[in-house]
Amino acid sequence: MVFILILASSAPAGHRLLQWLNMPFRENEWIWNIIACAGMTLFGLRWFTQWIYAERIKESKVPAIFWWQSLIGALLLLLYALRERNLWFTLMYIFTFIPYWRNLVLMYRQRSIAQAMVHR
């Protein structure tokens, strides 16, 4: 899968073997600029979210919203990179999902364990 994404992101837009990968609304530049802007905004705002959260509780902890912003922002930027068929931009975001998703899984697992302990 990773190889296909790398190949697709670096191939010329008109390559006949990759026409099945055409992104929806590829020709609508403004839609893709909005997607890229939304991804970059979410990705950037997560640091402010974490900072405000830490200030409120007077302790350095990362809230779930930070990881959700990271995950969604990275997804939007990956979509934009694929649309642009930019190899390095695609590689930059292709593996970022792993730590974001893993942190969400660990966080929600810990919460469900804590709730189960309360209900005993």
Side-chain angles (χ1 to χ4, degrees):
M1 166 122 168
V2 172
F3 177 73
I4 292 171
L5 291 173
I6 292 170
L7 177 66
S9 67
S10 61
H15 196 278
R16 63 183 170 83
L17 295 175
L18 298 175
Q19 289 186 0
W20 61 272
L21 189 69
N22 282 336
M23 297 295 286
F25 309 110
R26 183 167 176 75
E27 302 305 318
N28 292 338
E29 192 75 25
W30 64 273
I31 289 175
W32 286 100
N33 282 330
I34 290 170
I35 288 172
C37 182
M40 291 177 72
T41 301
L42 275 173
F43 215 66
L45 282 177
R46 66 199 180 116
W47 298 108
F48 290 107
T49 301
Q50 195 279 330
W51 180 24
I52 291 167
Y53 181 78
E55 288 297 327
R56 278 194 181 154
I57 65 169
K58 303 294 184 210
E59 187 178 340
S60 181
K61 287 194 176 185
V62 181
I65 188 70
F66 176 89
W67 299 115
W68 282 109
Q69 287 173 316
S70 300
L71 191 66
I72 295 168
L75 173 64
L76 292 173
L77 290 170
L78 177 62
L79 289 174
Y80 184 77
L82 288 170
R83 185 256 184 195
E84 292 295 313
R85 296 179 190 258
N86 183 312
L87 172 64
W88 303 112
F89 195 24
T90 300
L91 286 175
M92 188 167 79
Y93 287 101
I94 194 78
F95 296 110
T96 58
F97 298 95
I98 296 167
Y100 305 150
W101 186 256
R102 182 65 180 151
N103 276 291
L104 283 167
V105 167
L106 291 172
M107 189 174 285
Y108 288 119
R109 185 179 296 157
Q110 185 178 11
R111 284 184 186 172
S112 66
I113 290 170
Q115 286 177 351
M117 297 294 278
V118 168
H119 294 298
R120 280 187 169 184

